[in-house]
Amino acid sequence: MTGSTAKLELAGKTHDLKVRSGSIGPDVIDIGALYRDTGAFTFDPGFTSTASCESAITFIDGDAGILLHRGYPIDQLAEHGDFLEVCYLLLYGELPTKAQKDDFDRRITHHTMVHEQMSKFFTGFRRDAHPMAVMCGVVGALSAFYHDSTDISDPYQRMIASMRLIAKMPTIAAMAYKYYKGQPFMYPKNDLNFAANFLHMCFAVPCEEYKVNPVLARAMERIFILHADHEQNASTSTVRLAGSSGANPFACIAAGIACLWGPAHGGANEAALTMLAEIGHVDHIPEYIERAKDKNDPFRLMGFGHRVYKNYDPRAKIMQMTAHEVLGELGIKDDPLLDIAMEMEKIALTDEYFIEKKLYPNVDFYSGITLKALGFPTTMFTVLFAVARTVGWIAQWKEMIEDPHQKIGRPRQLYTGSPERDYVPIAKR
Ligand code: SDX
């Protein structure tokens, strides 16, 4: 590549392709006119070398293990910020002033209740339905209750829908948990902050006062901050693609939830804890490490590896520290699953296979241990991930909708099927 162009030799012709630089990170080769000029597509299943959009929201340096939200390092935001402050930053690009933060908190707080009719919606599910199945259904149904904020061409309606989604996700998640438990739904309380309100809606019961433990609420806030946004991951790309057709934001977020559920993505936190429980004892770790390395065995270490991080996921470090903090606050002296996780990390990080493939713990490796200690069943882990990631999905959707060059996403393909052929009547087959 020279300066601002790259040269492509194809079928005896040389084509100049524009090279663009971002503010930080890798350059991109603009191939928007490639098919028009050469008649050829690029081919990159899994998008390992493909930038799908221009974005100013989040930046990851996978080799250095750095994660920035609007330029601010995740460890600083997790230590000093609260979740709604990070929401404001992701949505509007700057940290809020005190007045802006107070106004944003007030607006979100006054959207936390859901339409009373929605509580009837839950009764259509079996009590033992996976909470992520409930989330896909109920969040998708929001567009049936909030018609006045589905016109994406209206900036005011886009803003209201965004506030509603950020504010109502914890309420719907708590309702999914209560429905699963067979306990009555708890209404949000306007005098509690985002995480404390969520813990109250999940763990309070009408029969007695429930005091939220401030240490656990702070840990919950931090967990939400760690999961808020992460560039063009699978579920965010799903939301962008759904939104590119003009679908309403409730439907787009429901699509993101469905994608996040996969065990290779947000479902890994549930799968990681299930894996640690299956391993059962530190003595069994070597057997599982060998299985993870065996090409003929589909088993993978859940919570390990990442498409972008080829170094330690900075969120995993903070999550590990939070696990110790929560277990300490709850007086859980030794959690066998944490012992297994710590020992597994130690073994894996010295193993040639993991070193060569640059496989490190990711955000999902320690989160399950913390969430289990907070009292959540494993089936709720990805629900909590979705509650946090909703602001990232919304911020990325907003950035796409406000992009004057935005168009519907429509990838092409490398066709390897049959060339044209004529129909054969069944009697002649
Ligand atoms: C999240 O994209 C994001 O940003 C996602 C996320 C976010 O915040 O949105 O960070 C959240 O989804 C974190 C990832 C959670 N998933 C898991 O923990 C599941 C276990 N991890 C793997 O399935 C895998 O690491 C992925 C899916 C996360 C990444 O897969 P890639 O980038 O497609 O890499 P790959 O599967 O091609 O693996 C490269 C090599 C392969 O070996 P070879 O074919 O080269 O011989 O590493 C091996 C893989 O077999 N490998 C693993 C492994 N992960 C990859 N081997 C054992 N255990 C693992 N966990």
Side-chain angles (χ1 to χ4, degrees), residues 157-197:
Q157 290 195 36
R158 294 205 299 269
M159 184 276 292
I160 291 290
S162 303
M163 297 297 110
R164 280 174 166 159
L165 279 158
I166 294 166
K168 294 179 193 319
M169 279 296 277
T171 308
I172 294 169
M175 291 171 81
Y177 176 58
K178 285 302 199 184
Y179 187 73
Y180 178 79
K181 293 271 288 182
Q183 290 182 351
F185 298 142
M186 296 299 290
Y187 287 103
K189 286 170 64 78
N190 290 354
D191 60 342
L192 295 177
N193 74 11
F194 191 89
N197 197 14

Side-chain angles (χ1 to χ4, degrees), residues 48 60 226-227 229-236 260 262-269 272 292-293 295 299-310 313 315 353-354 356-357 359 362-365 385 389:
T48 49
I60 301 169
L226 292 177
H227 289 80
D229 191 50
H230 213 237
E231 283 193 7
Q232 306 312 316
N233 58 84
S235 54
T236 297
L260 186 74
H265 189 15
N269 54 17
K293 292 152 60 173
K295 283 284 148 257
F299 173 78
R300 285 193 165 176
L301 292 190
M302 302 316 282
F304 259 79
H306 200 276
R307 169 61 55 76
V308 178
Y309 288 122
K310 300 309 170 192
D313 181 336
R315 302 168 297 175
Y353 173 92
F354 289 85
E356 183 236 326
K357 294 190 187 296
L359 300 175
N362 59 49
V363 67
D364 294 308
F365 189 60
F385 196 150
R389 187 51 59 89

